[in-house]
């Protein structure tokens, strides 16, 4: 099993949900996060004065899937999500040792 963490543009949430569903992910968590990286700053105007925003709103998506499903999801995200601009996001992949469903005690892929 693999845990996939995606940091994506908020406007890509619907596309991400579609990709996850079509690839067979059983669920995901979507969290609003903020941060910075290579995308240094953007200039805005507030009350006639320019200011630079250096912290950007992103969405963090977490899901746990089988290794085969992880490969499918990653391939589709890399094909369909990029805009070609700085700030498209990142993918973090971690191995998962065990999953247990609290309600039933099911383990492994059955718990997903």
């Amino acid at each position: 099993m693999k845990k996939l963490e995606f940091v994506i543009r908020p406007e890509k949430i619907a596309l991400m949900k579609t990709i996850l569903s079509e690839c067979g992910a059983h669920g995901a968590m979507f969290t609003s996060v903020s941060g910075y990286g290579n995308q240094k700053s953007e200039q805005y105007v507030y009350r006639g004065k320019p200011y630079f925003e250096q912290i950007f709103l992103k969405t963090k998506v977490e899901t746990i899937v089988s290794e085969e499903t992880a490969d499918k999801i990653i391939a589709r995200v890399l094909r369909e999500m990029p805009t070609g601009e700085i700030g498209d996001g990142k993918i973090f992949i971690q191995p998962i040792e065990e999953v247990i469903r609290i309600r039933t005690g099911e383990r492994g892929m059955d718990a997903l």
Side-chain angles (χ1 to χ4, degrees):
M1 288 180 287
K2 298 282 185 181
K3 178 179 183 181
L4 303 178
E5 290 183 29
F6 302 88
V7 179
I8 62 171
R9 296 174 181 267
E11 61 268 21
K12 298 286 189 168
I13 290 173
L15 177 56
M16 179 58 110
K17 188 176 176 191
T18 300
I19 290 170
L20 292 172
S21 295
E22 290 177 357
C23 288
H26 296 287
M29 291 182 286
F30 291 74
T31 308
S32 294
V33 296
S34 57
Y36 71 95
N38 292 333
Q39 188 179 6
K40 299 298 182 203
S41 64
E42 289 185 15
Q43 182 176 350
Y44 296 94
V45 177
Y46 179 71
R47 294 188 175 183
K49 296 184 180 184
Y51 74 95
F52 292 89
E53 183 62 64
Q54 296 177 332
I55 302 293
F56 298 95
L57 296 177
K58 299 290 182 184
T59 300
K60 182 178 175 183
V61 182
E62 300 172 84
T63 188
I64 298 174
V65 294
S66 69
E67 291 189 29
E68 300 81 30
T69 303
D71 292 339
K72 284 192 244 177
I73 292 170
I74 292 166
R76 283 210 43 202
V77 166
L78 292 175
R79 186 174 63 244
E80 298 178 29
M81 299 275 286
T83 66
E85 299 176 13
I86 292 175
D88 276 346
K90 299 269 191 294
I91 303 172
F92 302 96
I93 306 166
Q94 301 174 31
I96 296 295
E97 187 174 317
E98 182 72 91
V99 176
I100 303 170
R101 180 175 295 172
I102 294 173
R103 178 175 52 87
T104 62
E106 292 171 295
R107 293 175 175 261
M109 291 302 297
D110 292 336
L112 297 177

